[in-house]
Amino acid sequence: MADLYTINRNTNPCSAMHALNADLHCHSTVSDGTLSPEDLAARASANGVQLWALTDHDEVGGQHRARAAAHVHGMSYLTGSEISVTFANQTVHIVGLGFDADNAALVQGLSDTRNGRERRARDMAADLERVGITGTFEGALKYVGNPDLISRTHFARYMVEIGVCADPHEVFKKYLTEGKPGFVEHRWAKLADAVKWITEAGGIAVIAHPGRYNFTPNEEFALFTEFKNHGGQGVEVVTGSHTVPEYQKYADMAQEFDLLASRGSDFHSPGESHTDLGALPDLPGRVKPVWEALEHRILMP
Ligand code: AMP
Ligand code: MN
Ligand code: MN
Ligand code: MN
């Protein structure tokens, strides 16, 4: 991605465009999505996306393909990844945007973060076996596109296939979340490390879908404060995971903490995701879009 740095600022049509159709959060078969980076790019483009980022969980393995596919469709591209972090005993997701995807420390940090996934998956399968659901490790693997990245989503798809539940959401609710029989405690990356990997690789760190966590107001305040202290600069305001009141709440938080605002569908699969690529409202006018601060990192077609 050498020419990441050779963008001509003066010809960048994305600057100062508040209502740009930017979708800066989605997943491919390189993590827990069901479409290839190429098929996602085609879908994003067909839906009117102008600036796109693929943000696979704990992975940058799809970045070169995603960028090439974006350019085939005339879309501008930002590199991306969604890093799993443990904060206050909960899993928090930090999206990185506009980094150098070949940065050695970032690549190593993501590899370390992925490392425990197979062990965790085997433990999940053993737990599920105790409640009579057998063969889920091998079953989940059938849905895995990247052997380094077995996720709860792959278990959920398999458990729907064998009729344990009607849809993945129900599997999460009954089996794969805290306190349920297939949930295995896991320690992910540290908040400070995730932010550091992203920012030292030239990117911007963004708190993903803050409305999804089960934090008390004090814990949420601590997350935002520590994230800022570590050098984090952005927060997702408009995401497929937020309700309309949450768009307003997190626009307020972006202003209060002087954070840039991001927008992304978190699209995973045509059959599963209720928010399609590019199909979100614009950011509220009072926040500053993260892509304005990433102008020099945008890869033009
Ligand atoms: P993992 O990284 O293996 O813990 O899996 C996390 C992924 O599971 C998230 O990125 C979502 O794609 C998916 N997920 C989490 N909660 C739910 C839910 N309630 N319903 C459907 N998918 C979910
Ligand atoms: Mn996911
Ligand atoms: Mn997430
Ligand atoms: Mn996501």
Side-chain angles (χ1 to χ4, degrees), residues 1 8 18 25 29 78 120 122 132 140 159 163-164 176 188 191 235 241 250 277 291:
M1 296 210 177
N8 181 344
H18 203 277
H25 188 151
T29 46
L78 277 169
R120 168 194 188 229
R122 290 191 187 278
M159 287 164 73
V164 172
L176 304 182
W188 300 104
L191 179 65
V235 60
S241 303
Y250 291 103
L277 285 155
W291 52 88

Side-chain angles (χ1 to χ4, degrees), residues 64-81:
H64 289 80
R65 286 169 63 188
R67 177 214 177 157
H71 291 174
V72 165
H73 295 281
M75 289 185 294
S76 298
Y77 189 74
L78 277 169
T79 55
S81 185

